[in-house]
C-alpha cells in the first residue's frame, strides 16, 4: 500500500524558514573562514576561526534539513525519529564540513585541493541528509528513486565545492552575503531534490487520514541547540569589526592608526584677516622664525 506523502504540510513556512537558516549558517561560516585568512600576524586564532566557520555551516545545513522535515507528513502513519541517528547526522555535517574547511584553510584553493575537499564535503552533506532520513520511524518503509537521489548528490557536490571556493576567494562583506544566499538556494535545492525521490510503502493500515504526525516533540527541542549556536556565532561575528568591514576598508583604517611617523595636517591659520599667513618651504619664512625689519 502506497502512503500519501506531503512535504509541505505547513505551506511555505517550513521551506522559507529552512532557507533562512541555511543562509545564516553559510554567511557566518564564510565570514569566519575569511577572518582566519587575515590572521597573518597571529596564527594562533586560525584553528578557532576555522572551527567556528565549519560548525556554523554544518549547523546551518542540519538545521535547514530538520526544519524542512517538520513539514513532512504521511497521512496514513505517524512519524517518529530515532534520536541516535538524528544526533549522528548533526555530527557528520559538522565533522565532514570541518575537514573540507580546514583543508582549504591551510592548503588554499588550489584546483586539486578544492576538488578533493569539495567532493568529500559534498558526500558528507548528502550523507547527513540520508542519515537524517534513515532516522525516520513509521509504519512502513521509505523507497527512493535512484536517478533523483544521484541528482541530489551531484547538487551537494557542486554546492560544497562552491562553498569552499567562496570561503577562500571572497573577502568583501556584501559579496559574502550574496554568496551565502546562493549557497542557501543550493542546499535547499539538494534537500528538496532528495525529498522528491522519496515514496512510502506502508506495512498496513494504521489509521485514517489525519492520523499522521510530524514529531514536534523531538525535532523542536533538538533544533534549539544548533539554532542558539548560530545566534551566538552571529554575536561573535558582529562584534569583530574585521568581519563587518570589507578588507579594503579595514586595511585602510588600521593603516591610518598604525602608520609610524604619520605627519599631522598643519593647523589652520588663526591670525588677523589683514595679516598674511606665514609661508613655508622658502628660506626665511618658516613658522615661528623671527621677522627681520630694515633699519
Amino acid at each position: 500500500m502506497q502512503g500519501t506523502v506531503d512535504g509541505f504540510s505547513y505551506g511555505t513556512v517550513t521551506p522559507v524558514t529552512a532557507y533562512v537558516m541555511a543562509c545564516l549558517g553559510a554567511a557566518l561560516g564564510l565570514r569566519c573562514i575569511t577572518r582566519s585568512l587575515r590572521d597573518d600576524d597571529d596564527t594562533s586564532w586560525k584553528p578557532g576561526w576555522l572551527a567556528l566557520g565549519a560548525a556554523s555551516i554544518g549547523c546551518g545545513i542540519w538545521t535547514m534539513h530538520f526544519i524542512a522535515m517538520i513539514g513532512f507528513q504521511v497521512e496514513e502513519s505517524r512519524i517518529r525519529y530515532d534520536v541516535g541517528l538524528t544526533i549522528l547526522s548533526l555530527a557528520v555535517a559538522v565533522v565532514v564540513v570541518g575537514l573540507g574547511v580546514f583543508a582549504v584553510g591551510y592548503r588554499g584553493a588550489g584546483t586539486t585541493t578544492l576538488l578533493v575537499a569539495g567532493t568529500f564535503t559534498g558526500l558528507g552533506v548528502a550523507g547527513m541528509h540520508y542519515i537524517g532520513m534513515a532516522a525516520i520511524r513509521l509504519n512502513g518503509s521509505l523507497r527512493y528513486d535512484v536517478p533523483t537521489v544521484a541528482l541530489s548528490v551531484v547538487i551537494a557536490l557542486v554546492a560544497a565545492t562552491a562553498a569552499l571556493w567562496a570561503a577562500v576567494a571572497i573577502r568583501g562583506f556584501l559579496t559574502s552575503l550574496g554568496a551565502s544566499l546562493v549557497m542557501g538556494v543550493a542546499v535547499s535545492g539538494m534537500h528538496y531534490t532528495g525529498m522528491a525521490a522519496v515514496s512510502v510503502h506502508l506495512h498496513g493500515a494504521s489509521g485514517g487520514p489525519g492520523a499522521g504526525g510530524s514529531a514536534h516533540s523531538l525535532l523542536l527541542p533538538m533544533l534549539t541547540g544548533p539554532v542558539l549556536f548560530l545566534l551566538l556565532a552571529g554575536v561573535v561575528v558582529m562584534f569583530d569589526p574585521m568581519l563587518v568591514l570589507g578588507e579594503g576598508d579595514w586595511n585602510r583604517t588600521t593603516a591610518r592608526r598604525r602608520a609610524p611617523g604619520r605627519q599631522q595636517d598643519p593647523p589652520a591659520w588663526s591670525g588677523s584677516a589683514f595679516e598674511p599667513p606665514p609661508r613655508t618651504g622658502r628660506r626665511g619664512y618658516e613658522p615661528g622664525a623671527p621677522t627681520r625689519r630694515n633699519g
Side-chain angles (χ1 to χ4, degrees), residues 73-265:
Q73 291 185 2
V74 178
E75 287 189 11
E76 297 84 2
S77 175
R78 188 172 186 83
I79 296 177
R80 299 168 186 249
Y81 288 86
D82 180 86
V83 176
L85 287 176
T86 303
I87 296 175
L88 176 61
S89 66
L90 173 60
V92 168
V94 174
V95 171
V96 175
V97 170
L99 292 176
V101 165
F102 273 80
V104 297
Y106 280 98
R107 298 180 63 89
T111 303
T112 301
T113 301
L114 193 59
L115 289 177
V116 172
T119 300
F120 190 76
T121 303
L123 291 175
V125 171
M128 179 280 302
H129 174 86
Y130 289 105
I131 291 173
M133 295 299 295
I136 294 177
R137 297 290 179 264
L138 46 72
N139 186 37
S141 59
L142 300 181
R143 296 181 178 179
Y144 294 93
D145 178 68
V146 176
T148 309
V149 170
L151 177 60
S152 72
V153 174
V154 171
I155 295 174
L157 294 175
V158 174
T161 304
L164 295 177
W165 172 83
V168 295
I170 295 178
R171 301 298 181 90
F173 179 78
L174 293 178
T175 50
S176 291
L177 182 61
S180 67
L181 297 177
V182 175
M183 288 170 57
V185 172
V187 173
S188 298
M190 179 269 164
H191 171 84
Y192 284 106
T193 300
M195 294 307 297
V198 175
S199 61
V200 177
H201 180 74
L202 297 174
H203 294 160
S206 59
S214 56
H216 297 87
S217 59
L218 173 65
L219 290 185
L220 290 179
M222 292 191 71
L223 284 167
T224 301
V227 170
L228 288 177
F229 172 82
L230 290 174
L231 294 178
L232 290 175
V235 171
V236 172
V237 168
M238 293 305 297
F239 274 90
D240 191 312
M242 191 181 291
L243 290 173
V244 177
L245 291 174
E247 184 177 18
D249 294 335
W250 174 257
N251 289 339
R252 285 192 293 270
T253 301
T254 54
R256 286 197 298 267
R257 290 178 179 175
R258 298 178 181 177
R262 180 174 176 264
Q263 296 181 353
Q264 301 293 329
D265 293 334

Side-chain angles (χ1 to χ4, degrees), residues 267-278:
W269 171 246
S270 58
S272 170
F274 300 97
E275 184 176 79

